[in-house]
Amino acid sequence: MLAVRRSRILAAMARNELSALLDEIEAMLEEPPRGGVDAVARVEQTLTDGYARALALEGERWRIEQRLAEVARLVADGGATGVREELAALSAGLERADTSLGRLRNLLASLRRHADAVRAA
């Protein structure tokens, strides 16, 4: 039970970090492109952070999909009892990861274009 609680706490922390990153990207996109070494470095660092978070989300999706496959095999073998809650949680986790990943990818594409404009300024 402690492992489940720890996992939920880590997931909540990751969501908070993602939310802060998304807010930072949105704020950058609202700024007019300004040139300069510091501006370029700031945008590039945010892009790097965003790509790293996208990779982490893809890893999370993969782990959820693997667990879903394991649970499905248990059900097919008739050895699964009480899996309804786990399936619901896995499904919700996969949906959250998909939504977050889609939003992050869209914002990163916009930030990449913004980075080009900052470099050109």
Side-chain angles (χ1 to χ4, degrees), residues 17-117:
E17 290 172 11
L18 175 61
S19 180
L21 177 63
L22 294 172
D23 291 345
E24 182 178 350
I25 293 171
E26 288 173 339
M28 284 182 152
L29 292 172
E30 291 175 5
E31 298 172 0
R34 290 194 258 297
V37 174
D38 289 341
V40 171
R42 181 174 167 243
V43 171
E44 289 295 334
Q45 183 60 56
T46 304
L47 279 167
T48 300
D49 294 345
Y51 292 137
R53 187 64 182 116
L55 286 172
L57 281 168
E58 288 171 357
E60 181 181 335
R61 282 192 82 260
W62 182 83
R63 285 185 296 278
I64 292 170
E65 288 173 343
Q66 294 302 305
R67 183 60 189 151
L68 278 168
E70 290 172 14
V71 172
R73 280 191 295 277
L74 287 172
V75 170
D77 292 341
T81 56
V83 296
R84 181 176 297 161
E85 294 82 14
E86 184 174 6
L87 285 173
L90 289 168
S91 179
L94 189 58
E95 186 175 335
R96 274 192 308 274
D98 283 341
T99 300
S100 296
L101 190 55
R103 182 170 177 218
L104 180 56
R105 284 180 176 157
N106 287 336
L107 285 173
L108 287 171
S110 296
L111 187 58
R112 172 53 60 200
R113 289 188 296 276
H114 184 76
D116 293 340

